[in-house]
Amino acid sequence: MVTLADYRTPLSGDASVDSLVNATWLRPQPWPADDTLGYSFMGASDTQRALYDNGPSGYAAMNATQVSATRELMDYVGRVTGLKVEEVASSSAEIHFGTAGLSDTVLGVTYMPYRYWHDGKGSISAFETDAFVYLDNTDAWRFKTDAPAAGNWGYFALLHEIGHAIGLKHPFDGSPTLPASLDTMDNTVMSYTMGSEGIQTRFQDYDLKTIDHLFDRDDAVAAPQVASVTTSISSSWGTGYVLQVAVTNTSGGDLVRPKLEFDLPLDITKVWNGVATETAEGRWLLQDDTLGHVFKPGHAWRFSFKVSTTDGERPQPADFAVNGQDLDGIDGSGTAMVLADQTPLLDLSGLPADLPRAGAPVEWAEVIVDGTPDHVEQPDPAHAYAAPEDLDAAGAGLFGIPQPHQHHDDLLVA
Ligand SMILES: [Zn+2]
């Protein structure tokens, strides 16, 4: 039996991830169930919006500059999530874009409604999840929401709202939250606090870790992953060096979301074309950031990083692994290694069965909820029933009356 509990996003146990997981927004797990994330630009009116009774005042379609920035960022979303992101008709989109007349300091707003059909006994027969992103179209000159471009607040607001639309929450809202010292835009674009690096144009470390948690499809990759890794020192000095690394796809299929691990008992102080995380004492995980998570046969993910040492010792990386598979024998620089183990990583046994969707019988009622107990009204007592036991926090609101989740950003002064 499929219950609402099956639509809750599980937490990871890592506080820097869980403080960004919007667990109150129910959606199929994994979402989207078909690995294709569709988005659409709403026109003068939109049937999907009407479906959810979702109508912010002053609605207007996006202008050409907003459309262009959105396409660029959704393309980026495809690369960091590993999903197939496509511009589609509104009726089959998961994310819908437009503009609205928002109040003075609000740059963007995202509605995250969902609706489902059930049999009156707690069994869900069909479920729909959508997100509606609106940029401000009044006083847009203040923050360039009418002309989003990398480096301005309009672009940042669009990135931030897209973050909401794929399941991220503010690090200071709900539970858990980030400590104030970590709640800055240097760590996550879902923060309201400017960090030392200024206006961000891409997701930051915590965002990417959370996206990996929300959309990690490594287990669903069908192609065997065979790669060679080549490393070379491009410059060195008394207290450090820069290592260049190429991870080349030597297989006949796609190399998806390469993750390179190695031992290195030094600090990595800068990375070009990647993100470094120290996963254990002296063990590093390097992931692609901006180049994309899917590498075609023959293509390589190339990145460099700088390491610093204080005592003059300059050990080099060792014990490499790509996507969890060891590269026996490679260490130091100037060496290459072919990953010979062609055992497919495919393992679909742990994935949940596809959820009933199209064609599922509508047995009782359509309910639109926002998951926030503030807006609860009791359903008709004749049809009332208890929420599944494990839905504590959100349970009180689950069977409420339509009230699309209205999410406001009281964001941003310079
Ligand atoms: Zn926000």
Side-chain angles (χ1 to χ4, degrees):
M1 176 169 118
V2 178
T3 71
L4 280 179
D6 295 308
Y7 296 89
R8 298 193 72 177
T9 302
L11 298 180
S12 72
D14 177 340
S16 61
V17 167
D18 295 343
S19 60
L20 293 177
V21 171
N22 182 354
T24 63
W25 184 31
L26 300 196
R27 57 188 199 170
Q29 307 296 333
W31 178 85
D34 60 1
D35 273 346
T36 299
L37 181 66
Y39 70 98
S40 114
F41 297 98
M42 294 181 283
S45 62
D46 188 89
T47 54
Q48 292 298 304
R49 227 154 46 91
L51 198 60
Y52 288 108
D53 190 23
N54 174 355
S57 62
Y59 169 77
M62 279 190 160
N63 67 31
T65 308
Q66 292 164 327
V67 165
S68 173
T70 300
R71 284 180 176 144
E72 180 186 306
L73 282 171
M74 289 306 294
D75 184 52
Y76 168 66
V77 164
R79 296 200 301 275
V80 298
T81 60
L83 295 171
K84 190 176 174 189
V85 173
E86 292 182 337
E87 190 174 337
V88 298
S90 181
S91 57
S92 52
E94 276 93 11
I95 304 179
H96 311 260
F97 291 92
T99 73
L102 307 177
S103 60
D104 279 358
T105 55
V106 180
L107 281 71
V109 63
T110 300
Y111 293 75
M112 296 166 289
Y114 52 85
R115 62 195 194 124
Y116 57 89
W117 291 259
H118 59 90
D119 65 355
K121 297 170 187 166
S123 179
I124 309 301
S125 56
F127 204 101
E128 285 185 18
T129 295
D130 283 278
F132 295 83
V133 173
Y134 301 95
L135 285 180
D136 180 39
N137 61 24
T138 59
D139 61 8
W141 52 272
R142 293 182 62 189
F143 296 110
K144 295 276 204 298
T145 51
D146 58 343
N152 70 24
W153 282 120
Y155 194 86
F156 178 86
L158 186 56
L159 175 64
H160 176 103
E161 299 306 331
I162 288 172
H164 284 310
I166 61 174
L168 305 184
K169 75 171 182 69
H170 298 139
F172 50 85
D173 272 344
S175 175
T177 58
L178 278 181
S181 61
L182 298 177
D183 179 1
T184 80
M185 293 174 194
D186 289 351
N187 289 324
T188 166
V189 299
M190 305 314 291
S191 176
Y192 277 10
T193 305
M194 174 84 97
S196 62
E197 299 169 11
I199 302 175
Q200 300 289 0
T201 61
R202 291 291 183 261
F203 292 123
Q204 298 301 297
D205 284 4
Y206 293 1
D207 303 315
L208 292 169
K209 284 168 62 181
T210 307
I211 285 168
D212 272 354
H213 173 64
L214 293 176
F215 297 99
D216 198 339
R217 304 301 174 86
D218 285 355
D219 289 344
V221 173
Q225 301 199 14
V226 187
S228 69
V229 176
T230 305
T231 66
S232 62
I233 291 181
S234 62
S235 62
S236 65
W237 55 96
T239 57
Y241 60 88
V242 171
L243 195 72
Q244 291 184 326
V245 181
V247 178
T248 304
N249 179 3
T250 55
S251 78
D254 290 346
L255 177 64
V256 179
R257 302 161 62 82
K259 296 178 179 178
L260 184 69
E261 294 172 89
F262 50 79
D263 290 338
L264 182 65
L266 294 174
D267 283 337
I268 292 179
T269 54
K270 185 171 178 57
V271 184
W272 294 269
N273 291 337
V275 176
T277 309
E278 190 170 17
T279 57
E281 181 78 34
R283 184 73 175 168
W284 290 90
L285 169 66
L286 270 289
Q287 292 173 273
D288 172 48
D289 176 15
T290 57
L291 292 180
H293 275 327
V294 179
F295 294 87
K296 297 296 178 188
H299 289 207
W301 165 39
R302 298 175 195 281
F303 65 95
S304 310
F305 59 87
K306 183 166 86 175
V307 297
S308 298
T309 175
T310 53
D311 59 8
E313 294 286 317
R314 295 195 294 160
Q316 294 182 15
D319 290 335
F320 286 89
V322 172
N323 288 0
Q325 298 196 42
D326 289 335
L327 299 179
D328 293 333
I330 187 174
D331 59 354
S333 68
T335 54
M337 180 74 191
V338 173
L339 180 60
D341 180 359
Q342 298 197 26
T343 304
L345 295 176
L346 175 66
D347 179 10
L348 296 173
S349 59
L351 295 180
D354 198 13
L355 299 165
R357 291 168 75 93
V362 179
E363 298 171 38
W364 191 61
E366 177 181 312
V367 183
I368 304 174
V369 292
D370 67 352
T372 54
D374 302 351
H375 301 304
V376 174
E377 291 181 31
Q378 289 303 312
D380 181 343
H383 300 295
Y385 61 88
E389 279 181 8
D390 53 349
L391 287 170
D392 320 324
L398 288 175
F399 302 101
I401 295 303
Q403 188 74 276
H405 187 136
Q406 180 166 357
H407 175 86
H408 281 288
D409 283 341
D410 298 307
L411 181 60
L412 298 183
V413 287

